[in-house]
Amino acid sequence: SATFLSPNHLNKMVFPIYRRMVEEAHANEKPFILHSCGNLSRVMDEIIALGFDGKHSFEDAILPAEDFYARYSKRIAVLGGIDVDILASAAPEQVRAKTRFLIETCGARGRYAVGSGNSVPSYIPVENYLAMVDEALTQAADLPVDSHQLIALCAPRPCFISYGVLPGDPPWVDAHGSFMAGVLAGPA
């Protein structure tokens, strides 16, 4: 796993745009959070230097959230961390154990919000999703829940917050609806 573009291309073409977006968000007293899949180890220092407030999307096979937390949490918040594979295939008690582990490992020191390592797709068993949320709320009533969980708690079923539509994207991607869900969840 690696970045889609080379670090050199990211630095030339993408990061200047991100820098302006981060500056605009911060000028309006809003946090700016990166959701990115894949291995960002070659560019994580540059990403942090851009001013991102948090990083979301973790896969245990690439870099478990607890390892990312140990390496970077003094400079960027960690959001999520319950690997989607665990949410999809583990027993509810295993989901609870992973949730407890992350809260104990990362939550007590701050700059961590428990939640799915990526999204909450429709194939996640509802009992596993509820086990994650219930364990998080049981273990740490004051620990933040990441935005995917916040929206899902408001919805009648787990949902995924997307971020844009490109030609050829699946028809279920709804950039405007996702944006509005995030806006409406913001004051919560």
Side-chain angles (χ1 to χ4, degrees):
S1 175
T3 57
F4 183 71
L5 299 174
S6 72
N8 185 44
H9 283 101
L10 288 169
N11 279 308
K12 286 182 180 177
M13 298 184 298
V14 177
F15 290 169
I17 296 166
Y18 274 162
R19 183 177 311 282
R20 290 193 302 272
M21 293 169 71
V22 168
E23 288 170 355
E24 183 68 24
H26 290 170
N28 287 285
E29 300 180 6
K30 302 292 182 192
F32 201 80
I33 297 168
L34 175 68
H35 172 97
S36 182
C37 301
N39 187 342
L40 299 178
S41 61
R42 291 179 56 200
V43 294
M44 198 65 223
D45 288 326
E46 288 90 342
I47 288 170
I48 292 170
L50 291 170
F52 281 92
D53 298 290
K55 157 79 168 70
H56 181 263
S57 188
F58 295 96
E59 184 179 353
D60 288 352
I62 296 171
L63 181 62
E66 62 271 19
D67 294 346
F68 182 92
Y69 187 89
R71 191 177 305 166
Y72 298 112
S73 68
K74 291 182 179 168
R75 300 185 290 151
I76 190 167
V78 178
L79 308 174
I82 313 294
D83 193 301
V84 172
D85 289 338
I86 291 171
L87 284 171
S89 60
E93 207 40 56
Q94 293 170 301
V95 172
R96 285 180 177 282
K98 179 67 172 188
T99 304
R100 261 192 315 276
F101 171 76
L102 285 172
I103 290 170
E104 291 166 359
T105 304
C106 306
R109 294 179 282 176
R111 298 180 64 86
Y112 176 71
V114 70
S116 167
N118 190 299
S119 61
V120 184
S122 61
Y123 58 82
I124 300 293
V126 172
E127 59 271 14
N128 284 4
Y129 172 77
L130 294 175
M132 176 187 67
V133 172
D134 182 63
E135 191 65 30
L137 295 173
T138 299
Q139 293 298 318
D142 58 20
L143 187 68
V145 176
D146 85 19
S147 62
H148 288 93
Q149 276 52 256
L150 180 61
I151 297 296
L153 288 170
C154 299
R157 57 177 282 196
C159 60
F160 170 66
I161 301 302
S162 183
Y163 56 89
V165 178
L166 297 173
D169 275 353
W172 52 261
V173 176
D174 176 15
H176 179 73
S178 297
F179 171 77
M180 292 308 297
V183 168
L184 294 172

